[in-house]
Amino acid sequence: MLGSIVLVGVLSLGISPGNDQGIKESPKNQFQQAIFESGGELVEEALRACEKHFGTAIFLPPQLPSVAFTHQYGRCYDMEGGLDEHLEVHYWNRYKPEHDYKIELYPLENKQQLKHLSFEESELADHTTAKFYKGPINTFQLLVFEKGNWQYLLTAANRASSKISQQELTEIAESLTQAMNSKDPVYAMWGTLAVTETKRKYNMDVVDYLYMGRTTISNEMAEEKFKLWLKKGAREFGVYVTVAFHPTTHQFISIRYEEF
């Protein structure tokens, strides 16, 4: 009986009796491995790499398309890769190819001209000019706009079954401008808390401060993220500070720190 149980357990793991090669990788794990072997990184790691490479903060739109993704990954391209320097963040559903969305950021001095595409121009809510291109079926659709020192390219698949529309890409772009232009007093309140608690925790001066945006976790929790630079004497370093709170009652939930 024990032998039968062991055999069933081994087969359920995808191992043949007598095979000592270990657990076989599932197709899903093989797919993920291929992504990272080709240079993909976790989005946060790619973002930090590009911030370090370009020497400036980078903001991503807080809103995503309202479709399901199975994978998200990023890559910070530098000249060693043979491509123009830029950040790329890719969201993809390996079971539904039409759920394919990508963000690319290029510094304005190296922005993509894209003269071979026929764009239609429009204005975002803050009067920023946006250009939209929609290719033939089974190609792609693209929204291009500039914010701060960056050119943003939002690309989505254009298939007959695609659910990501021009309107949604526009809303995503506007979510970025709203976050960057936010005068929300709640954000200011949590920023003050982040600075105060960080100074208390590290017993150092906060010499630089950057608001990085809000993330809604659920109906009962949202997070504000800040990037602080600390200094005391010859020692200095950066800290990401994330404050969690209830978005309706504004009740404080937690604060966490991540040094970089």
Side-chain angles (χ1 to χ4, degrees):
M1 182 66 178
L2 180 59
S4 299
I5 294 174
V6 171
L7 179 60
V8 170
V10 168
L11 291 176
S12 69
L13 292 174
I15 307 172
S16 301
N19 182 352
D20 60 357
Q21 298 301 311
I23 300 173
K24 291 182 179 178
E25 284 192 285
S26 68
K28 180 179 179 180
N29 289 338
Q30 291 173 349
F31 176 77
Q32 292 176 168
Q33 183 178 355
I35 289 175
F36 292 110
E37 286 181 349
S38 66
E41 300 179 280
L42 297 176
V43 172
E44 187 70 17
E45 291 178 355
L47 179 64
R48 291 180 187 173
C50 265
E51 286 185 328
K52 182 177 181 180
H53 178 72
F54 291 108
T56 186
I58 297 175
F59 296 91
L60 296 178
Q63 181 175 328
L64 290 174
S66 54
V67 298
F69 299 108
T70 59
H71 292 78
Q72 56 178 333
Y73 53 94
R75 185 168 182 178
C76 182
Y77 288 90
D78 54 32
M79 295 306 291
E80 294 178 2
L83 297 173
D84 292 334
E85 297 175 308
H86 71 286
L87 171 67
E88 178 179 306
V89 179
H90 202 159
Y91 299 85
W92 197 55
N93 189 318
R94 68 187 297 256
Y95 305 108
K96 296 183 177 181
E98 67 272 19
H99 294 185
D100 190 345
Y101 167 65
K102 182 169 64 176
I103 308 171
E104 294 173 277
L105 280 79
Y106 291 85
L108 287 183
E109 63 269 20
N110 192 34
K111 69 180 182 180
Q112 303 300 286
Q113 299 302 321
L114 306 171
K115 294 180 179 179
H116 60 292
L117 300 179
S118 299
F119 287 98
E120 60 178 70
E121 288 195 359
S122 61
E123 278 193 353
L124 302 180
D126 68 343
H127 305 297
T128 297
T129 298
K131 299 189 296 183
F132 179 74
Y133 166 80
K134 188 171 185 177
I137 290 295
N138 295 327
T139 59
F140 65 95
Q141 49 186 327
L142 170 67
L143 185 75
V144 182
F145 65 99
E146 297 175 7
K147 192 68 179 175
N149 297 319
W150 299 94
Q151 178 194 46
Y152 288 77
L153 281 66
L154 309 184
T155 307
N158 180 30
R159 296 173 178 257
S161 55
S162 293
K163 298 184 182 300
I164 304 175
S165 64
Q166 177 183 1
Q167 179 180 349
E168 188 162 27
L169 290 176
T170 300
E171 291 173 356
I172 291 170
E174 290 179 341
S175 76
L176 174 69
T177 62
Q178 290 165 5
M180 294 180 69
N181 297 333
S182 176
K183 303 299 182 183
D184 187 353
V186 174
Y187 136 63
M189 177 178 71
W190 298 124
T192 300
L193 177 69
V195 171
T196 301
E197 292 302 314
T198 302
K199 290 171 67 176
R200 179 181 292 118
K201 175 179 174 64
Y202 291 97
N203 191 27
M204 298 176 69
D205 293 327
V206 175
V207 297
D208 199 8
Y209 165 101
L210 182 66
Y211 174 55
M212 301 192 69
R214 176 182 297 187
T215 301
T216 299
I217 307 300
S218 68
N219 291 335
E220 297 182 348
M221 187 168 76
E223 293 182 340
E224 299 281 18
K225 187 172 183 178
F226 306 88
K227 184 178 183 180
L228 307 183
W229 192 256
L230 311 183
K231 184 174 183 179
K232 187 172 185 179
R235 186 187 180 207
E236 56 181 295
F237 59 93
V239 180
Y240 290 108
V241 183
T242 303
V243 181
F245 62 97
H246 194 292
T248 302
T249 65
H250 306 309
Q251 181 178 359
F252 171 77
I253 297 175
S254 66
I255 186 169
R256 65 179 186 271
Y257 310 87
E258 186 177 359
E259 299 176 14
F260 66 91

